[in-house]
Amino acid sequence: MDNQKVAEIFQEIGDLLDIANENPFRIKSYHKAAQVIGHMPKDIREIYEKNPKDLENIPGIGKGLRELIEEIFKTGKCSELDNLKKGFPPGILEMLKLRGVGPKKVKLFYQELGLDDLNYLKKTAVEGRLRDLPGMGEKSEQDIINAIDDYQKNPPGRMLINQALANAQHIIAYMKDCKDVQKIEYVGSLRRMKETIGDLDILTTGKNAEKIIDHFTHYPGVKRVIAKGDTKSSVILDSGVQVDLRVLEPKSFGAAMHYFTGSKAHNIHIRALAKRKGLKISEYGVFKGSKMIGGKTEEEVFKSVGLPYIPPELREDNGEFEEPLPKLIETRDLKGDLHMHTKWSDGSQTILDIAKAYKENGYEYIAIADHSGALGITGGLKESNIDKYLKDIEKADKKMKDFKILKGCEVDVMKGGDLYFGDNILKKFDIAIASIHTAMSMDTDSVTKRLIKAIENPYVNMLGHPTGRLLNQRTGYEPDMEKIIKACAANNVVIEINANPMRLDLYDIYCKMAKSHGVKIAINTDAHHSNQMQFLTLGVAVARRGWLEKSDVITTYPLKKLLKALNR
Ligand code: DGT
Ligand code: CA
Ligand code: CA
Ligand code: ZN
């Protein structure tokens, strides 16, 4: 995670130097360092902590960049970037965050038309005044409009769940060093396992609240303390994330866990139920008049209004008060993963290496599903190398005892809904995952038809990342999901939950919809390295928020049953 942060800082410095027309060699050295750090498997913070001098062994990192990295880890800031930023209008920095817009385009808009503001850029594009700039055209003008719309609808700022989890675990481990802390748990949207998290909420119990709060505000990642009271404190971390900590009486811990887990809508509903029974539920407990009748545990809160324990992932007021509760799927139910990439396309490991890693972690099968060749940049599978690819999978499979490597492919759904491969090729795979990766700006009606045509192909048995969203980056192609789900039901096509934290696509609400139509789900990582196996837990979180049980998810099935569910 630190690699990503450092890489982003260097990329941004290079971009801003580029816009400022600085020395091209200097620009290139930042961009190259960003590239290397962003892609290296070793954790850069580890290198720094062991011996900062060793940072210079990284290709492209000399003394100057090494000192910048040290500053970033020591202070959480990069003065070089902060100073550079001061020289630009804020709108320029925002423009750089738009999909498909780099320093070259920003420079063009700024220098040719004086554009330094997103709204003004959009207006100019809508009026058709960008298309005549050198290198632009009607299509790239429309791309800019779409990118601004997506950026404004889905502004960056909420943390991805894996980042939030890592932050929370780190803080909690640190807080346990304080002898006065007894219980400590994270609550809020993170405990409900929402796909993005606004701020972190942490609850503790312990005798000496003052000491606990003091320890909290001295957490090494704290940039600013924004509130420090007797039982509550809020801080901002270097990453910009807010963390709220509360110290509670043990007798109120369950009530507070419930209240601060939320969601707000769930809380409002349960308090209305309590009121009808003549009770009052607050963050301090369950009360009958002035008498406290519960609140030590969450179970007591639910029990007071005649409810069973409701798992946090279901607390969205989306049926948990009315419908029978499911027995939610758990990570340990999973037996495999049906979507991953190897060196045959843009993955970084061999088939055998990735298979061994899954087996070591107790899984029973995987499917290798490399990209078809429509994505020029990732290489990928073509008619001419398919047989060699399939042989490579078979060869690896023979070497694996008590483990199955299935033959898969992530086949591109082309603009009109045709697949990159013909049926003669598709029928060779155990699993053909149909996904869109190109020509993504399409209206809902067209993209729905495009996907349905792919779903109707007799050899397609899985739909990959159905909406194409990238969290904090783009909303995706917005198909009509009810129609897509019905088409999958009619054609016996499984839908994946793509567990990559940037995607988490199929979304939770559509999981519930898929289940109601009898459509089965596969929880897949889309891993490009076996260390992304850990994403499976995030896919399970989405499934749980979508009310799914073990039997709804085919990657919990033993191999034979799995192949039957896939029509193979
Ligand atoms: P986030 O941080 O935006 O990802 O979402 P949450 O759900 O963590 O929201 P947050 O941090 O504002 O508050 C934590 C929990 O506290 C929330 O899920 C429910 C509870 N809560 C906060 N404000 C209210 C409120 O005004 N009414 C009720 N009933 N509960 C609230
Ligand atoms: Ca929160
Ligand atoms: Ca909060
Ligand atoms: Zn894909």
Side-chain angles (χ1 to χ4, degrees):
M1 191 174 32
D2 287 318
N3 291 29
Q4 221 46 48
K5 189 175 149 193
V6 175
E8 273 166 29
I9 291 174
F10 284 0
Q11 180 69 34
E12 202 174 358
I13 294 177
D15 288 352
L16 292 177
L17 290 174
D18 191 351
I19 298 172
N21 286 322
E22 283 277 344
N23 178 341
F25 292 105
R26 217 174 138 220
I27 299 168
K28 204 164 164 215
S29 70
Y30 280 105
H31 281 157
K32 177 158 183 253
Q35 178 83 10
V36 171
I37 295 167
H39 284 88
M40 65 185 208
K42 226 174 152 151
D43 184 354
I44 190 163
R45 183 186 281 273
E46 251 171 53
I47 304 177
Y48 159 78
E49 277 169 359
K50 219 162 132 202
N51 181 4
K53 276 258 178 329
D54 290 347
L55 291 168
E56 288 183 34
N57 296 336
I58 303 171
I61 308 283
K63 179 161 172 285
L65 293 186
R66 189 250 298 160
E67 284 170 356
L68 283 193
I69 298 171
E70 286 188 58
E71 184 198 0
I72 294 168
F73 285 136
K74 269 197 207 118
T75 68
K77 281 193 264 292
C78 176
S79 44
E80 169 124 7
L81 177 61
D82 294 343
N83 290 336
L84 256 175
K85 278 183 174 174
K86 283 183 199 141
F88 292 95
I92 292 278
L93 306 173
E94 267 188 319
M95 275 153 94
L96 269 179
K97 297 213 162 78
L98 294 176
R99 162 177 20 103
V101 175
K104 300 270 174 297
K105 283 206 178 108
V106 173
K107 211 157 43 171
L108 185 70
F109 302 151
Y110 186 45
Q111 288 169 358
E112 297 289 320
L113 298 174
L115 300 173
D116 60 4
D117 174 88
L118 277 197
N119 290 320
Y120 192 30
L121 174 65
K122 182 171 170 189
K123 185 165 172 280
T124 311
V126 169
E127 289 168 1
R129 294 198 287 128
L130 284 187
R131 64 182 65 167
D132 297 328
L133 291 174
M136 294 287 296
E138 261 180 68
K139 183 173 175 302
S140 44
E141 187 178 65
Q142 186 59 46
D143 287 344
I144 298 272
I145 299 173
N146 295 343
I148 297 174
D149 284 346
D150 283 354
Y151 178 87
Q152 290 179 332
K153 254 190 268 175
N154 204 349
R158 290 179 63 84
M159 251 175 305
L160 299 180
I161 186 167
N162 59 326
Q163 297 164 345
L165 266 175
N167 268 306
Q169 283 159 355
H170 204 256
I171 296 170
I172 287 177
Y174 163 83
M175 287 304 295
K176 284 182 176 166
D177 292 341
C178 174
K179 299 276 172 298
D180 295 282
V181 168
Q182 284 168 351
K183 282 186 189 150
I184 179 157
E185 304 275 356
Y186 60 79
V187 285
S189 50
L190 181 59
R191 184 161 177 245
R192 304 198 311 281
M193 296 296 273
K194 259 191 80 126
E195 65 268 68
T196 61
I197 311 295
D199 67 4
L200 296 176
D201 305 281
I202 298 178
L203 304 184
T204 69
T205 61
K207 282 190 200 75
N208 193 334
E210 197 187 329
K211 269 202 187 152
I212 293 173
I213 296 236
D214 213 52
H215 188 73
F216 175 62
T217 56
H218 285 88
Y219 175 64
V222 170
K223 178 158 82 180
R224 208 151 46 85
V225 177
I226 52 179
K228 191 171 177 183
D230 296 340
T231 58
K232 186 190 163 211
S233 171
S234 295
V235 300
I236 305 278
L237 303 182
D238 291 329
S239 52
V241 173
Q242 179 171 331
V243 189
D244 299 338
L245 178 103
R246 288 178 174 79
V247 187
L248 298 145
E249 300 271 348
K251 65 173 187 199
S252 293
F253 194 68
M257 284 286 290
H258 178 266
Y259 181 89
F260 291 108
T261 295
S263 66
K264 203 165 157 179
H266 170 94
N267 286 357
I268 290 171
H269 196 137
I270 203 169
R271 279 191 311 221
L273 293 181
K275 203 167 167 195
R276 263 180 255 158
K277 288 187 180 284
L279 301 174
K280 185 171 170 261
I281 293 179
S282 75
E283 65 216 82
Y284 302 107
V286 183
F287 296 88
K288 190 166 204 161
S290 58
K291 194 174 167 240
M292 181 165 165
I293 60 163
K296 196 168 191 292
T297 64
E298 282 193 308
E299 280 82 356
E300 285 179 8
V301 175
F302 289 119
K303 214 171 149 205
S304 73
V305 285
L307 288 170
Y309 178 81
I310 299 175
E313 295 93 330
L314 299 184
R315 300 183 198 169
E316 299 290 347
D317 198 12
N318 183 27
E320 73 270 26
F321 294 105
E322 298 86 11
E323 299 168 39
L325 296 179
K327 186 179 178 314
L328 295 178
I329 179 174
E330 296 182 41
T331 302
R332 62 160 187 263
D333 295 331
L334 295 180
K335 291 197 165 59
D337 176 354
L338 303 177
H339 182 172
M340 61 194 68
H341 300 274
T342 69
K343 287 187 169 167
W344 277 92
S345 61
D346 56 349
S348 54
Q349 283 174 305
T350 63
I351 296 172
L352 197 57
D353 284 345
I354 205 164
K356 280 181 179 161
Y358 273 82
K359 185 171 180 211
E360 272 166 29
N361 281 275
Y363 293 97
E364 295 174 14
Y365 52 79
I366 55 171
I368 303 296
D370 271 302
H371 284 289
S372 67
L375 281 163
I377 42 162
T378 57
L381 306 174
K382 311 198 174 38
E383 248 188 87
S384 56
N385 63 9
I386 281 295
D387 287 328
K388 242 177 119 186
Y389 166 74
L390 293 173
K391 272 217 183 82
D392 204 23
I393 297 180
E394 275 170 23
K395 215 172 82 196
D397 181 54
K398 279 213 182 84
K399 290 191 183 143
M400 299 290 297
K401 275 215 175 75
D402 302 321
F403 189 89
K404 184 71 193 169
I405 310 177
L406 295 165
K407 295 177 213 158
C409 168
E410 185 177 20
V411 59
D412 286 284
V413 181
M414 310 308 282
K415 204 166 172 182
D418 288 330
L419 295 156
Y420 183 82
F421 289 129
D423 291 356
N424 59 323
I425 304 280
L426 290 177
K427 68 181 179 200
K428 298 184 181 188
F429 299 113
D430 299 314
I431 295 174
I433 307 174
S435 304
I436 289 182
H437 296 105
T438 54
M440 285 185 263
S441 340
M442 259 191 172
D443 60 70
T444 292
D445 198 41
S446 316
V447 81
T448 306
K449 286 193 181 124
R450 175 178 176 183
L451 282 171
I452 289 178
K453 188 164 175 199
I455 291 164
E456 286 172 346
N457 178 293
Y459 297 103
V460 165
N461 48 9
M462 196 179 297
L463 178 62
H465 45 73
T467 77
R469 85 164 160 193
L470 287 182
L471 286 161
N472 288 349
Q473 290 188 24
R474 65 169 192 236
T475 41
Y477 20 84
E478 305 183 87
D480 180 332
M481 282 309 296
E482 186 158 16
K483 285 189 186 151
I484 298 291
I485 285 167
K486 283 182 176 161
C488 287
N491 293 280
N492 206 358
V493 165
V494 172
I495 303 182
E496 81 169 2
I497 294 175
N498 190 301
N500 185 299
M502 302 259 297
R503 292 189 180 274
L504 299 176
D505 175 18
L506 194 64
Y507 319 166
D508 46 18
I509 47 168
Y510 297 133
C511 290
K512 202 174 179 196
M513 188 189 278
K515 178 177 177 156
S516 74
H517 286 90
V519 172
K520 296 291 180 205
I521 300 295
I523 297 178
N524 292 336
T525 55
D526 199 352
H528 289 65
H529 187 282
S530 55
N531 60 19
Q532 293 171 340
M533 203 187 307
Q534 57 184 325
F535 294 163
L536 284 170
T537 317
L538 308 178
V540 170
V542 173
R544 289 170 64 88
R545 288 178 53 82
W547 289 59
L548 300 187
E549 307 190 296
K550 187 176 171 182
S551 60
D552 301 315
V553 176
I554 62 164
T555 40
T556 65
Y557 296 176
L559 183 64
K560 248 187 161 160
K561 190 173 167 197
L562 172 90
L563 289 171
K564 222 172 131 198
L566 287 164
N567 293 323
R568 290 297 201 272

